[in-house]
Amino acid sequence: MKSVKEVFKIGRGPSSSHTMGPEKAARIYKEEHPDAGAFRVKLYGSLCKTGKGHGTDRVLYETLAPVPTEVIFCQETPDDVTHPNTMDFSVVRDGTDEDVMRALSIGGGDIRIEGRKAENSEDVYPENSFAEVMEFCQFRSLDLAEYVELTEGSEIRDYLRVVWEQMNQTIQEGLQTEGRLPGPLKVERKAKKLYDFQPEHDHPQIRECRLISAYAFAVSEQNADCGTVVTAPTCGSCGVIPAAFRYVQGQRNLTDEQIISGLEVAGLFGTLIKRNASVSGAEAGCQAEIGSACAMAAAGLTYLFGLSTNQIQYAAEIALEHHLGLTCDPILGLVQVPCIERNAVAAMRAMNASNLSYFLSDTQRISFDIAVRTMYETGISMNKRFLETSEGGLAKMYGRRNEQ
């Protein structure tokens, strides 16, 4: 199993699979062909269907500049394309594609290049399931944060310290910014309005919902505006963990060092999901993005609340289980509707999952490992229209409404 670092990456939004992944692939290809006179990039599957809205063409043009580049959205997918986020890079000489490199954007900003050894292919953790992790922790009398540090070394805390600083910076930037997000939907930014709103009766429950939602909107709106965010585990779900952790830190007067321990635990669960299922909306739907983020947040929160390892995994299982079947259907291919609101709802749901685990962990029937496998099976069985193509669900209904 890979490092926790693989689920927490700092980069520009709006999409880890549609902008960060293609940007990484483009940089590699450009470095390998310094004398190229022209590039051509062909986009297939989800990259074709929602690439315009996600800014895939924009980031490719910017990364491959100043070399003239043609980006082609291929409506027909060749039979040998096996992943929904596939792109072919080539050097154009006399109108012919040469030196073709096929890259797959597999989610969370990661890529895989066909015919090559994967980046960061070495496993960091010998354990590959939560059951194995829990058995080892019981044998060594470790909690989950201690397990992460034992395996990855103390430097993982330095990395996550930078991650937490960026999460907070993104929240602050989002809370201070008003106006509309880019794109034809003309979505109004709501984070500052939520944060500043003063209800007549500010009950604790209302205040909790308002502040967590404000933080989640702040991060997600920055992501939608191509700002700098932390994948957690993706750009589309980047607001869940920062929102929940920022609120709990304020409510419980937690130190940054305590929050970093929570991030270690959250990252561990994200790594388990990435190892045994997927965090790609194009591969397994929004359950793989928002569902995974909610599970990560629930696990981290439950650790911060001082609950047991079994209660931590139960909170993560509750959070993931109750996102099963969630489709990825961004309207007009933009990471705005329903994506931004989903981050706020999932952050609140992470709090609820953690609270339920406190009361009910002795009644658990479904393990976290089973929930992960179920999520992946559900995702690969979904109709392709609901896998980040903007051809089904909300995207289809919205488009149909506008046509009338």
Side-chain angles (χ1 to χ4, degrees):
M1 190 166 65
K2 310 303 180 195
S3 168
V4 163
K5 296 177 183 178
E6 295 303 300
V7 294
F8 293 125
K9 298 189 184 75
I10 299 173
R12 289 180 60 192
S15 171
S16 48
S17 59
H18 286 59
T19 52
M20 289 178 62
E23 180 181 15
K24 180 185 291 186
R27 290 190 186 283
I28 292 172
Y29 195 72
K30 183 179 180 180
E31 290 173 2
E32 293 178 352
H33 298 83
D35 300 324
F39 291 123
R40 180 176 288 143
V41 187
K42 296 179 179 179
L43 305 177
Y44 306 107
S46 178
L47 289 178
C48 168
K49 303 294 184 182
T50 62
K52 282 283 186 183
H54 284 50
T56 306
D57 51 343
R58 172 188 55 78
V59 76
L60 288 172
Y61 289 130
E62 290 177 356
T63 305
L64 295 172
V67 180
T69 300
E70 179 186 14
V71 178
I72 302 175
F73 292 86
C74 300
Q75 299 299 324
E76 298 296 326
T77 301
D79 293 337
D80 61 345
V81 170
T82 58
H83 193 279
N85 288 331
T86 298
M87 53 201 139
D88 284 340
F89 291 82
S90 61
V91 175
V92 182
R93 294 188 179 94
D94 298 324
T96 302
D97 293 344
E98 299 182 6
D99 301 326
V100 177
M101 180 187 83
R102 174 160 290 178
L104 285 59
S105 185
I106 58 177
D110 290 338
I111 63 170
R112 186 167 68 245
I113 299 175
E114 286 192 355
R116 303 188 191 182
K117 184 178 180 180
E119 288 183 321
N120 304 318
S121 60
E122 298 298 323
D123 284 340
V124 175
Y125 295 85
E127 294 74 31
N128 288 312
S129 69
F130 184 80
E132 294 175 0
V133 171
M134 191 166 183
E135 181 181 4
F136 181 83
C137 287
Q138 289 173 339
F139 177 74
R140 292 289 302 269
S141 298
L142 299 171
D143 70 26
L144 293 176
E146 291 170 338
Y147 165 77
V148 170
E149 289 176 42
L150 174 70
T151 308
E152 301 221 27
S154 59
E155 60 270 16
I156 189 62
R157 295 187 68 84
D158 295 330
Y159 182 87
L160 292 177
R161 197 169 289 112
V162 175
V163 163
W164 182 235
E165 289 172 359
Q166 181 59 60
M167 286 179 171
N168 276 295
Q169 182 177 334
T170 306
I171 288 174
Q172 289 305 115
E173 290 171 351
L175 291 177
Q176 295 168 4
T177 308
E178 298 180 275
R180 290 179 173 176
L181 296 173
L185 286 177
K186 298 181 172 58
V187 172
E188 177 188 2
R189 281 178 173 261
K190 305 176 183 70
K192 189 175 188 301
K193 179 184 291 187
L194 280 166
Y195 187 76
D196 292 340
F197 186 77
Q198 296 297 324
E200 183 179 352
H201 302 290
D202 198 10
H203 299 296
Q205 297 90 338
I206 294 176
R207 187 172 188 274
E208 178 178 277
C209 178
R210 179 174 61 81
L211 288 179
I212 291 178
S213 297
Y215 299 148
F217 269 76
V219 176
S220 298
E221 287 169 355
Q222 286 299 102
N223 176 65
D225 205 7
C226 304
T228 301
V229 298
V230 179
T231 62
T234 67
C235 287
S237 60
C238 64
V240 180
I241 291 175
F245 279 32
R246 170 73 170 262
Y247 176 77
V248 168
Q249 182 177 38
Q251 285 297 106
R252 302 202 174 204
N253 296 316
L254 301 178
T255 66
D256 284 347
E257 292 306 305
Q258 288 173 300
I259 292 294
I260 288 167
S261 295
L263 287 174
E264 289 177 323
V265 174
L268 173 63
F269 278 81
T271 303
L272 284 165
I273 294 171
K274 201 166 184 176
R275 163 65 175 78
N276 296 306
S278 174
V279 297
S280 169
E283 188 174 19
C286 197
Q287 57 171 1
E289 295 197 43
I290 286 291
S292 297
C294 188
M296 292 168 64
L301 288 172
T302 309
Y303 178 85
L304 292 173
F305 295 159
L307 301 186
S308 70
T309 297
N310 188 56
Q311 288 170 315
I312 291 168
Q313 71 87 22
Y314 186 36
E317 186 277 323
I318 293 171
L320 187 60
E321 177 186 337
H322 295 290
H323 281 91
L324 291 177
L326 187 62
T327 60
C328 184
D329 49 359
I331 293 177
L332 300 183
L334 300 169
V335 192
Q336 297 178 14
V337 181
C339 317
I340 295 173
E341 285 183 357
R342 281 184 179 173
N343 278 262
V345 172
M348 290 295 301
R349 185 172 286 184
M351 295 284 289
N352 294 335
S354 181
N355 291 334
L356 276 175
S357 73
Y358 174 73
F359 298 111
L360 302 175
S361 62
D362 60 339
T363 69
Q364 184 179 9
R365 293 294 180 270
I366 305 297
S367 70
F368 175 73
D369 289 332
I370 290 175
V372 171
R373 291 197 297 271
T374 302
M375 183 268 280
Y376 187 61
E377 181 181 352
T378 302
I380 61 176
S381 300
M382 275 187 190
N383 187 297
K384 302 303 181 185
R385 292 178 299 170
F386 301 109
L387 298 178
E388 205 167 359
T389 63
S390 290
E391 294 179 336
L394 292 173
K396 178 182 178 182
M397 293 299 107
Y398 181 87
R400 182 175 178 271
R401 175 177 175 270
N402 283 351
E403 289 172 1
Q404 293 178 339

